[in-house]
Amino acid sequence: MLKFIECEKFIENGLPRGRIEFFPGLNICLGEDNAENSIGKSTLLFAVDFCFGGDSYCSQKGFLEKAGNHKINFCLEFGKEPYYFSRSTENPKEIALCDEDFNITKKIRDDEFKKFLLEKYNLTETGLSFRQVVTSFIRIFGKESSEIKNIVGVEGHNGGKTGILRNLIKLFEKYDEVKTLEEKSAAIQSEQNEFTSVERSKIVKNGKIKNLFQLKESESKLDQLNEELSQIAESNKIQTETVDAQRAAQAAELEKQITVLRRNRTKLLNEKSILETNFGSETKIQKEDFDELKSFFLNINIPHIEEIQNFHKQISKILKKETEEELAKIEDKISENENNLIEATQELTELSVPLSIPKKVLEQYASVSIRKNELEEQVGFYKNSEQISRKLKEIKIELDDKKFSILKEIAVKINQKLEELNGKVNGNDSYSPRLNLNSSSSYSFYAPNDNGTGTAYVSMILYDLAILELTNLPFLIHDSVLFKNLSDNRVIKVFEEYENSRKQIFVSFDKKNSYGSDELKKTIDNHTVIKLYAGGGELFGCSWAKKKNSN
């Protein structure tokens, strides 16, 4: 329980207020009989929420500009053991652990603090965070939870009505019965996502089957392809159990490679032969040839012819060198080609595809087999996808049925408690508010035959009191706005129920003396923890809504 809070900024007539001590049950922040506003009643409730890990205290419009940064020291008690903390508006994400004199011993993150609260209030088994448990039952003016439409929960904060009902199951500690089905559903959903990913990555080729009509067409086409394969295999004595589409395609490709390599070998050998012939066809001219030439041409210039002959010799040397280099390249190409031919032939042999099968037959067999395999993949993908979709649909139906079954049990308990509380507050002759379930994701909360604002607010109070009693919800926070439209008798009866609670309830209230009930006055006097009033008795010692006296 929250034992006390203190803050140097909390002032009364210029002096620090000191500690604000709280009771185990009802705790009242009391305003004036004239229902004076802007004295800090709601802010005090926000401060209490701040001590339970809430953030709204710091986010009130213009609040910190007027109040300035400050810290709140507070004490929580569990099993008679006190725990001292301090939290600052300057760094609210950090909580200080303190000794009893509020000397800081350690600092922790606010999420660690909330886990501490979850454990100490025995809420771990709910599967909810601490703030998920309490936020819907903190009804302070300005928070969405204080609006009539949000009696069961604020849809925007809980994932819609589905999330609100799911949290209700958890709060009643019935989630284990649902968790296993949710995990199965998540696993099947993951499997379906994988199939979708396969489709996106185009592993399923040539489009996909989209409906039963296309499935029938594809299965009919498969029958035709299987028949075509059988005919090819039978006509060419292909053993289908040893020659599959992949091996046939590989064999056909290897046959192509071998044909090309053999052609290359012939071409290269021809080129080599020509080079070798040219390389050995050089004709040498001797000196005797020149002498014989003189006998025919008396005035011939032999030195000039010798110069030409020397030039030819130089050219021949260059050509010979180039021919040698080209022959060496041709030899390398022939060697490489031969090695590739040996490897291709060896791979073809290892495939165990009979060499007697013509290449064109292998290509035809491979083409038909590949088309068949692709179509089989598409058919398989469609059937598996449909099976997964069916499984997912079935598990979701089972999950919804289980949730609805549990929620109906919870609704019975809540409505029974509402009936009991309504009889005490409104009388047995009035209709009780009801939680009505339409499905595992839809509900309504209403008071039959009464749409009045007062009835709506008292229904909110009764709902909170019912949940407080039926679950481990640790506390309620109710602002004075909830009582504004209630009849006097309803207010008196509500406070009787507040006083009967064994858990902490924090309430702001005013107009104590206008209800004409000594019992209510006594209850309020016994449970008031702070009184706020205009003219110095505001929570911060003054009202920011009023002009300051310039005199």
Side-chain angles (χ1 to χ4, degrees):
M1 61 169 279
L2 182 62
K3 191 74 175 171
F4 66 81
I5 65 174
E6 62 181 30
C7 176
E8 61 182 12
K9 293 279 187 176
F10 294 169
I11 294 170
E12 184 177 17
N13 296 319
L15 298 174
R17 287 183 177 274
R19 289 181 176 177
I20 302 172
E21 305 273 354
F22 295 105
F23 302 109
L26 177 61
N27 299 271
I28 300 171
C29 170
L30 184 63
E32 296 183 90
D33 281 343
N34 63 357
E36 183 73 34
N37 291 321
S38 302
I39 57 177
K41 299 191 301 295
S42 297
T43 301
L44 188 279
L45 296 183
F46 276 124
V48 170
D49 180 40
F50 192 62
C51 296
F52 286 114
D55 297 320
S56 298
Y57 180 72
C58 298
S59 61
Q60 299 174 81
K61 187 176 181 180
F63 171 64
L64 291 181
E65 293 177 11
K66 299 179 179 71
N69 279 314
H70 55 278
K71 65 181 180 179
I72 294 179
N73 298 329
F74 58 100
C75 174
L76 292 163
E77 185 177 87
F78 299 100
K80 296 185 178 180
E81 183 177 356
Y83 297 84
Y84 301 94
F85 302 94
S86 181
R87 191 180 184 195
S88 168
T89 60
E90 189 172 11
N91 188 10
K93 293 296 181 183
E94 191 174 74
I95 311 293
L97 280 65
C98 307
D99 61 20
E100 61 183 1
D101 296 318
F102 289 97
N103 299 306
I104 296 173
T105 59
K106 183 182 178 181
K107 290 183 178 181
I108 61 174
R109 299 293 298 170
D110 64 332
D111 54 351
E112 294 179 69
F113 174 66
K114 292 167 192 174
K115 286 181 181 178
F116 166 82
L117 294 175
L118 194 72
E119 293 171 3
K120 290 299 181 180
Y121 277 114
N122 297 316
L123 294 166
T124 307
E125 293 300 316
T126 63
L128 295 167
S129 70
F130 182 75
R131 295 303 299 182
Q132 282 178 321
V133 172
V134 301
T135 298
S136 294
F137 304 94
I138 298 172
R139 318 277 192 177
I140 307 174
F141 179 74
K143 289 180 72 69
E144 288 182 89
S145 54
S146 68
E147 298 175 17
I148 292 172
K149 65 180 181 179
N150 296 323
I151 290 177
V152 184
V154 180
E155 291 185 25
H157 296 168
N158 295 282
K161 289 186 176 182
T162 299
I164 289 171
L165 291 177
R166 187 170 183 264
N167 288 349
L168 195 61
I169 291 172
K170 289 185 173 185
L171 186 56
F172 275 80
E173 297 187 10
K174 295 287 187 179
Y175 181 59
D176 282 347
E177 299 178 40
V178 175
K179 186 178 179 181
T180 302
L181 290 176
E182 284 189 340
E183 288 173 348
K184 283 176 67 176
S185 178
I188 297 170
Q189 184 67 64
S190 177
E191 189 178 354
Q192 187 180 59
N193 292 342
E194 285 181 20
F195 265 80
T196 304
S197 176
V198 166
E199 182 186 328
R200 277 200 300 265
S201 63
K202 297 182 180 178
I203 293 175
V204 178
K205 302 173 185 177
N206 302 326
K208 72 167 190 175
I209 299 168
K210 298 179 180 179
N211 50 52
L212 283 174
F213 178 75
Q214 291 183 354
L215 176 66
K216 295 299 181 185
E217 281 190 329
S218 298
E219 288 178 331
S220 177
K221 183 62 177 175
L222 267 177
D223 291 338
Q224 293 175 20
L225 291 172
N226 281 319
E227 179 62 28
E228 190 174 344
L229 275 178
S230 297
Q231 290 176 2
I232 296 170
E234 187 177 342
S235 300
N236 296 277
K237 298 181 180 178
I238 298 174
Q239 300 294 322
T240 55
E241 64 273 10
T242 58
V243 183
D244 56 23
Q246 183 179 2
R247 289 163 74 188
Q250 287 175 331
E253 184 60 33
L254 286 168
E255 287 278 14
K256 286 182 182 179
Q257 291 179 23
I258 290 169
T259 299
V260 172
L261 289 168
R262 283 174 177 166
R263 288 174 182 168
N264 284 343
R265 180 173 63 180
T266 301
K267 179 183 176 184
L268 290 168
L269 288 174
N270 287 338
E271 289 179 8
K272 177 185 176 185
S273 177
I274 292 169
L275 286 170
E276 286 176 338
T277 299
N278 292 335
F279 184 67
S281 63
E282 181 183 0
T283 302
K284 295 181 180 180
I285 302 175
Q286 304 296 328
K287 188 175 181 302
E288 292 80 6
D289 296 326
F290 290 152
D291 292 338
E292 188 176 342
L293 193 61
K294 285 179 182 181
S295 64
F296 291 98
F297 303 98
L298 294 177
N299 297 321
I300 192 169
N301 189 344
I302 296 300
H304 181 66
I305 292 174
E306 286 179 342
E307 285 180 11
I308 294 172
Q309 174 65 5
N310 288 333
F311 175 74
H312 286 163
K313 285 181 179 178
Q314 293 300 320
I315 292 296
S316 295
K317 284 180 181 179
I318 293 171
L319 291 173
K320 182 178 180 181
K321 185 178 180 181
E322 290 180 352
T323 302
E324 286 176 344
E325 290 175 355
E326 192 64 29
L327 273 170
K329 290 178 182 178
I330 291 293
E331 289 286 358
D332 289 342
K333 289 181 180 179
I334 290 171
S335 176
E336 184 183 357
N337 190 83
E338 197 63 27
N339 288 334
N340 290 338
L341 183 59
I342 291 169
E343 287 180 10
T345 304
Q346 180 64 32
E347 286 182 35
L348 182 59
T349 303
E350 289 175 356
L351 284 174
S352 299
V353 175
L355 299 178
S356 59
I357 302 174
K359 182 180 66 175
K360 286 186 177 181
V361 173
L362 285 174
E363 289 175 346
Q364 183 186 12
Y365 185 81
S367 176
V368 175
S369 295
I370 289 169
R371 293 203 325 263
K372 185 200 82 162
N373 291 343
E374 288 176 354
L375 202 54
E376 282 180 339
E377 189 177 49
Q378 291 174 39
V379 168
F381 183 91
Y382 177 82
K383 288 183 176 179
N384 286 335
S385 181
E386 286 296 299
Q387 183 180 15
I388 291 171
S389 296
R390 187 166 54 253
K391 282 163 58 179
L392 187 60
K393 185 177 180 180
E394 289 171 354
I395 195 69
K396 284 184 175 179
I397 290 172
E398 186 179 358
L399 179 58
D400 284 344
D401 288 346
K402 172 56 73 173
K403 283 182 180 179
F404 194 41
S405 174
I406 293 170
L407 284 166
K408 284 194 290 186
E409 293 177 12
I410 291 172
V412 167
K413 292 180 180 179
I414 291 173
N415 288 329
Q416 286 176 344
K417 182 57 64 175
L418 286 171
E419 189 81 36
E420 176 188 330
L421 291 169
N422 183 71
K424 295 177 180 179
V425 173
N426 294 321
N428 292 323
D429 58 344
S430 65
Y431 288 106
S432 170
R434 291 186 59 80
L435 175 63
N436 186 47
L437 296 171
N438 303 315
S439 68
S440 65
S441 59
S442 178
Y443 67 85
S444 58
F445 188 87
Y446 61 96
N449 302 323
D450 192 342
N451 296 320
T453 304
T455 297
Y457 275 114
V458 81
S459 296
M460 176 184 284
I461 294 168
L462 295 180
Y463 178 79
D464 287 0
L465 286 169
I467 300 299
L468 187 69
E469 188 169 337
L470 293 171
T471 70
N472 281 334
L473 177 67
F475 60 83
L476 299 178
I477 298 180
H478 284 175
D479 206 347
S480 57
V481 68
L482 274 65
F483 312 113
K484 298 295 184 184
N485 293 288
L486 270 61
S487 66
D488 289 2
N489 187 62
R490 277 177 165 174
V491 171
I492 293 166
K493 295 298 182 180
V494 162
F495 271 82
E496 286 179 6
E497 295 307 311
Y498 281 157
E499 191 174 29
N500 291 333
S501 175
R502 295 173 291 104
K503 297 179 183 179
Q504 284 191 304
I505 298 176
F506 304 92
V507 173
S508 70
F509 190 70
D510 45 31
K511 299 174 68 174
K512 176 184 78 170
N513 294 312
S514 66
Y515 289 94
S517 168
D518 292 337
E519 285 299 316
L520 177 60
K521 292 176 185 177
K522 183 179 178 182
T523 296
I524 292 171
D525 288 339
N526 288 340
H527 294 275
T528 295
V529 296
I530 184 173
K531 294 180 181 179
L532 301 177
Y533 51 90
E538 297 89 350
L539 182 63
F540 287 87
C542 63
S543 173
W544 298 317
K546 294 182 178 180
K547 294 180 180 179
K548 293 183 179 179
N549 192 336
S550 59
N551 296 326

Coordinates of all heavy atoms in Angstrom, one line a residue, residues 101-146:
D101 N 15.4 8.3 5.7 CA 15.5 9.8 5.7 C 15.6 10.4 4.3 O 15.9 11.5 4.1 CB 16.8 10.2 6.5 CG 16.7 9.8 8.0 OD1 15.7 10.0 8.6 OD2 17.7 9.2 8.5
F102 N 15.3 9.5 3.4 CA 15.3 9.9 1.9 C 16.6 10.3 1.4 O 16.7 11.1 0.5 CB 14.2 10.9 1.6 CG 12.8 10.3 1.7 CD1 12.1 10.4 2.9 CD2 12.3 9.5 0.7 CE1 10.8 9.9 3.0 CE2 11.0 9.0 0.8 CZ 10.3 9.1 1.9
N103 N 17.7 9.7 2.0 CA 19.0 9.8 1.4 C 19.0 8.7 0.3 O 18.7 7.6 0.5 CB 20.1 9.5 2.4 CG 20.1 10.5 3.5 OD1 20.1 11.7 3.2 ND2 20.0 10.1 4.7
I104 N 19.5 9.1 -0.9 CA 19.4 8.2 -2.1 C 20.5 7.1 -1.9 O 21.7 7.4 -1.7 CB 19.6 9.0 -3.4 CG1 18.5 10.0 -3.6 CG2 19.8 8.0 -4.6 CD1 18.7 10.9 -4.8
T105 N 20.1 5.9 -2.1 CA 21.0 4.7 -2.0 C 21.3 4.1 -3.4 O 22.3 3.5 -3.6 CB 20.5 3.6 -1.1 OG1 19.2 3.2 -1.6 CG2 20.3 4.2 0.3
K106 N 20.3 4.3 -4.3 CA 20.4 3.7 -5.6 C 19.4 4.3 -6.5 O 18.3 4.8 -6.1 CB 20.2 2.2 -5.6 CG 20.4 1.4 -6.9 CD 20.1 -0.1 -6.7 CE 20.2 -0.8 -8.0 NZ 19.9 -2.3 -7.8
K107 N 19.7 4.3 -7.8 CA 18.7 4.8 -8.8 C 18.4 3.7 -9.8 O 19.3 3.0 -10.2 CB 19.2 6.0 -9.6 CG 19.3 7.3 -8.7 CD 19.8 8.5 -9.4 CE 19.8 9.7 -8.5 NZ 20.3 11.0 -9.3
I108 N 17.1 3.6 -10.2 CA 16.6 2.6 -11.1 C 15.8 3.2 -12.2 O 15.2 4.3 -12.0 CB 15.9 1.4 -10.4 CG1 14.6 2.0 -9.7 CG2 16.8 0.7 -9.5 CD1 13.7 0.9 -9.1
R109 N 15.6 2.6 -13.3 CA 14.7 3.0 -14.3 C 13.2 2.8 -13.9 O 13.0 1.9 -13.1 CB 15.0 2.3 -15.7 CG 16.4 2.5 -16.2 CD 16.6 3.9 -16.7 NE 15.7 4.3 -17.7 CZ 15.6 5.6 -18.1 NH1 16.2 6.5 -17.6 NH2 14.7 5.8 -19.1
D110 N 12.3 3.6 -14.5 CA 10.9 3.5 -14.0 C 10.3 2.2 -14.4 O 9.4 1.7 -13.7 CB 10.1 4.6 -14.6 CG 10.1 4.6 -16.2 OD1 11.0 4.1 -16.8 OD2 9.1 5.1 -16.7
D111 N 10.8 1.5 -15.5 CA 10.3 0.2 -15.8 C 10.7 -0.9 -14.8 O 9.9 -1.8 -14.5 CB 10.7 -0.3 -17.2 CG 12.2 -0.2 -17.4 OD1 13.0 0.3 -16.5 OD2 12.7 -0.7 -18.5
E112 N 11.9 -0.7 -14.2 CA 12.3 -1.6 -13.1 C 11.4 -1.4 -11.9 O 11.0 -2.4 -11.2 CB 13.7 -1.4 -12.7 CG 14.8 -1.7 -13.7 CD 16.2 -1.4 -13.3 OE1 16.6 -2.1 -12.3 OE2 16.8 -0.5 -13.8
F113 N 11.0 -0.2 -11.6 CA 10.2 0.2 -10.5 C 8.8 -0.4 -10.7 O 8.2 -1.0 -9.8 CB 10.1 1.7 -10.3 CG 9.1 2.2 -9.3 CD1 9.3 1.9 -8.0 CD2 7.9 2.9 -9.7 CE1 8.3 2.4 -7.0 CE2 7.0 3.3 -8.8 CZ 7.2 3.1 -7.4
K114 N 8.3 -0.4 -11.9 CA 6.9 -0.9 -12.2 C 7.0 -2.4 -12.1 O 6.0 -3.0 -11.7 CB 6.5 -0.5 -13.6 CG 6.2 1.0 -13.7 CD 6.1 1.4 -15.2 CE 6.0 2.9 -15.3 NZ 6.1 3.4 -16.7
K115 N 8.1 -3.1 -12.4 CA 8.2 -4.5 -12.2 C 8.2 -4.9 -10.7 O 7.6 -5.9 -10.3 CB 9.5 -5.0 -12.9 CG 9.5 -5.1 -14.4 CD 10.8 -5.6 -14.9 CE 10.8 -5.7 -16.4 NZ 12.1 -6.1 -17.0
F116 N 8.8 -4.0 -9.9 CA 8.8 -4.2 -8.5 C 7.3 -4.1 -8.0 O 6.9 -5.0 -7.2 CB 9.6 -3.1 -7.8 CG 9.4 -2.9 -6.4 CD1 10.1 -3.7 -5.5 CD2 8.6 -1.9 -5.9 CE1 9.9 -3.5 -4.1 CE2 8.4 -1.7 -4.5 CZ 9.1 -2.5 -3.6
L117 N 6.6 -3.1 -8.4 CA 5.2 -3.0 -8.0 C 4.4 -4.2 -8.5 O 3.5 -4.7 -7.7 CB 4.6 -1.7 -8.6 CG 5.1 -0.4 -8.1 CD1 4.5 0.8 -8.9 CD2 4.9 -0.2 -6.6
L118 N 4.6 -4.7 -9.7 CA 3.9 -5.9 -10.2 C 4.1 -7.1 -9.3 O 3.1 -7.8 -9.0 CB 4.4 -6.2 -11.7 CG 3.6 -7.1 -12.5 CD1 2.3 -6.4 -13.0 CD2 4.4 -7.6 -13.7
E119 N 5.3 -7.3 -8.9 CA 5.6 -8.4 -8.0 C 5.0 -8.2 -6.6 O 4.4 -9.2 -6.1 CB 7.1 -8.6 -7.9 CG 7.8 -9.0 -9.2 CD 9.3 -9.0 -9.2 OE1 9.9 -8.7 -8.1 OE2 10.0 -9.3 -10.2
K120 N 5.2 -7.1 -6.1 CA 4.8 -6.8 -4.7 C 3.2 -6.9 -4.6 O 2.7 -7.2 -3.5 CB 5.3 -5.5 -4.2 CG 6.8 -5.5 -3.9 CD 7.2 -6.6 -2.9 CE 8.7 -6.6 -2.6 NZ 9.1 -7.6 -1.6
Y121 N 2.5 -6.5 -5.6 CA 1.1 -6.5 -5.6 C 0.5 -7.9 -6.1 O -0.7 -8.0 -6.4 CB 0.5 -5.4 -6.4 CG 0.4 -4.1 -5.6 CD1 1.2 -3.0 -6.0 CD2 -0.5 -3.9 -4.5 CE1 1.1 -1.8 -5.3 CE2 -0.6 -2.8 -3.8 CZ 0.2 -1.7 -4.2 OH 0.1 -0.5 -3.5
N122 N 1.4 -8.8 -6.3 CA 1.0 -10.2 -6.8 C 0.3 -10.2 -8.1 O -0.8 -10.8 -8.2 CB 0.2 -10.9 -5.7 CG 0.9 -11.1 -4.4 OD1 2.1 -11.5 -4.4 ND2 0.3 -10.8 -3.3
L123 N 0.8 -9.4 -9.0 CA 0.1 -9.3 -10.3 C 0.9 -10.0 -11.5 O 0.5 -9.9 -12.6 CB -0.1 -7.8 -10.7 CG -1.0 -7.1 -9.8 CD1 -0.9 -5.6 -10.0 CD2 -2.5 -7.5 -10.0
T124 N 2.0 -10.6 -11.1 CA 2.9 -11.2 -12.2 C 2.1 -12.3 -13.0 O 2.3 -12.4 -14.2 CB 4.1 -11.9 -11.5 OG1 4.8 -10.9 -10.7 CG2 5.1 -12.4 -12.6
E125 N 1.3 -13.0 -12.3 CA 0.6 -14.1 -13.0 C -0.4 -13.6 -14.1 O -0.9 -14.4 -14.9 CB -0.1 -15.0 -12.0 CG 0.8 -15.8 -11.1 CD 1.7 -16.7 -11.8 OE1 1.2 -17.4 -12.8 OE2 2.9 -16.8 -11.5
T126 N -0.8 -12.3 -14.0 CA -1.7 -11.8 -15.0 C -1.2 -11.8 -16.4 O -1.9 -11.9 -17.4 CB -2.2 -10.4 -14.6 OG1 -1.1 -9.5 -14.7 CG2 -2.8 -10.4 -13.2
G127 N 0.2 -11.6 -16.5 CA 0.8 -11.5 -17.8 C 0.7 -10.0 -18.3 O 1.1 -9.8 -19.5
L128 N 0.1 -9.1 -17.5 CA 0.0 -7.7 -17.8 C 1.2 -6.9 -17.2 O 1.8 -7.4 -16.2 CB -1.3 -7.1 -17.4 CG -2.6 -7.7 -18.0 CD1 -3.8 -7.3 -17.2 CD2 -2.7 -7.3 -19.5
S129 N 1.5 -5.8 -17.7 CA 2.4 -4.9 -17.0 C 1.6 -4.2 -15.9 O 0.3 -4.2 -15.9 CB 2.9 -3.8 -18.0 OG 1.9 -2.9 -18.4
F130 N 2.3 -3.6 -15.0 CA 1.6 -2.9 -13.8 C 0.7 -1.8 -14.3 O -0.5 -1.7 -13.9 CB 2.6 -2.4 -12.9 CG 2.0 -1.7 -11.7 CD1 1.5 -2.5 -10.6 CD2 1.9 -0.4 -11.5 CE1 0.8 -2.0 -9.5 CE2 1.3 0.2 -10.4 CZ 0.8 -0.6 -9.4
R131 N 1.1 -1.0 -15.3 CA 0.3 0.1 -15.8 C -0.9 -0.4 -16.6 O -2.0 0.2 -16.6 CB 1.1 1.1 -16.6 CG 2.2 1.8 -15.8 CD 1.7 2.5 -14.6 NE 0.7 3.6 -15.0 CZ 0.1 4.4 -14.1 NH1 0.4 4.3 -12.8 NH2 -0.7 5.3 -14.5
Q132 N -0.7 -1.6 -17.3 CA -1.9 -2.1 -18.0 C -3.0 -2.6 -17.0 O -4.2 -2.5 -17.3 CB -1.4 -3.4 -18.8 CG -0.7 -3.0 -20.1 CD -0.3 -4.2 -20.8 OE1 0.2 -5.2 -20.2 NE2 -0.4 -4.2 -22.1
V133 N -2.5 -3.0 -15.8 CA -3.5 -3.4 -14.8 C -4.3 -2.2 -14.2 O -5.5 -2.2 -14.2 CB -2.8 -4.1 -13.6 CG1 -3.8 -4.4 -12.5 CG2 -2.2 -5.4 -14.1
V134 N -3.6 -1.1 -13.9 CA -4.2 -0.1 -13.1 C -4.7 1.1 -13.9 O -5.7 1.8 -13.4 CB -3.2 0.5 -12.0 CG1 -2.7 -0.7 -11.1 CG2 -2.0 1.2 -12.7
T135 N -4.2 1.4 -15.1 CA -4.5 2.7 -15.7 C -6.0 2.9 -16.0 O -6.5 4.0 -15.8 CB -3.7 2.7 -17.1 OG1 -2.3 2.7 -16.8 CG2 -4.1 4.0 -17.8
S136 N -6.7 1.8 -16.4 CA -8.1 2.0 -16.7 C -9.0 2.3 -15.5 O -10.1 2.8 -15.6 CB -8.7 0.7 -17.3 OG -8.1 0.4 -18.6
F137 N -8.4 2.2 -14.3 CA -9.2 2.4 -13.0 C -8.7 3.6 -12.3 O -9.0 3.8 -11.1 CB -9.1 1.2 -12.2 CG -9.6 -0.1 -12.9 CD1 -8.7 -0.9 -13.5 CD2 -10.9 -0.4 -12.9 CE1 -9.1 -2.0 -14.2 CE2 -11.4 -1.5 -13.6 CZ -10.4 -2.3 -14.3
I138 N -7.9 4.4 -13.0 CA -7.5 5.7 -12.5 C -8.3 6.8 -13.2 O -8.0 7.2 -14.4 CB -5.9 6.0 -12.8 CG1 -5.1 4.9 -12.0 CG2 -5.5 7.4 -12.3 CD1 -3.7 4.9 -12.3
R139 N -9.4 7.2 -12.6 CA -10.4 8.1 -13.2 C -10.2 9.5 -12.7 O -10.9 10.0 -11.8 CB -11.8 7.6 -12.9 CG -12.0 6.1 -12.9 CD -12.3 5.6 -14.3 NE -12.8 4.2 -14.3 CZ -13.1 3.5 -15.3 NH1 -13.1 4.1 -16.5 NH2 -13.5 2.3 -15.2
I140 N -9.2 10.2 -13.3 CA -9.0 11.6 -12.9 C -9.4 12.5 -14.0 O -9.2 12.2 -15.2 CB -7.5 11.8 -12.6 CG1 -7.0 10.8 -11.5 CG2 -7.2 13.2 -12.1 CD1 -5.5 10.9 -11.3
F141 N -10.0 13.6 -13.7 CA -10.5 14.6 -14.7 C -9.3 14.9 -15.7 O -8.2 15.3 -15.2 CB -11.0 15.9 -14.1 CG -11.5 16.9 -15.1 CD1 -12.7 16.7 -15.8 CD2 -10.7 18.0 -15.3 CE1 -13.1 17.6 -16.7 CE2 -11.2 18.9 -16.3 CZ -12.3 18.7 -17.0
G142 N -9.6 14.8 -17.0 CA -8.5 15.1 -18.0 C -8.0 13.8 -18.6 O -7.4 13.8 -19.7
K143 N -8.1 12.7 -17.8 CA -7.7 11.4 -18.4 C -8.8 10.7 -19.1 O -10.0 10.8 -18.7 CB -7.2 10.4 -17.3 CG -5.8 10.8 -16.7 CD -5.4 9.9 -15.6 CE -5.0 8.5 -16.1 NZ -3.7 8.6 -16.9
E144 N -8.5 10.1 -20.2 CA -9.6 9.4 -21.0 C -10.4 8.4 -20.3 O -11.5 8.2 -20.5 CB -8.9 8.8 -22.3 CG -8.4 9.8 -23.3 CD -7.9 9.1 -24.6 OE1 -8.7 8.8 -25.5 OE2 -6.7 8.8 -24.6
S145 N -9.7 7.8 -19.3 CA -10.4 6.8 -18.5 C -11.5 7.3 -17.7 O -12.4 6.6 -17.2 CB -9.4 6.1 -17.5 OG -8.7 7.0 -16.8
S146 N -11.6 8.7 -17.5 CA -12.7 9.3 -16.7 C -13.9 9.5 -17.6 O -15.0 9.9 -17.0 CB -12.2 10.6 -16.1 OG -12.0 11.6 -17.0

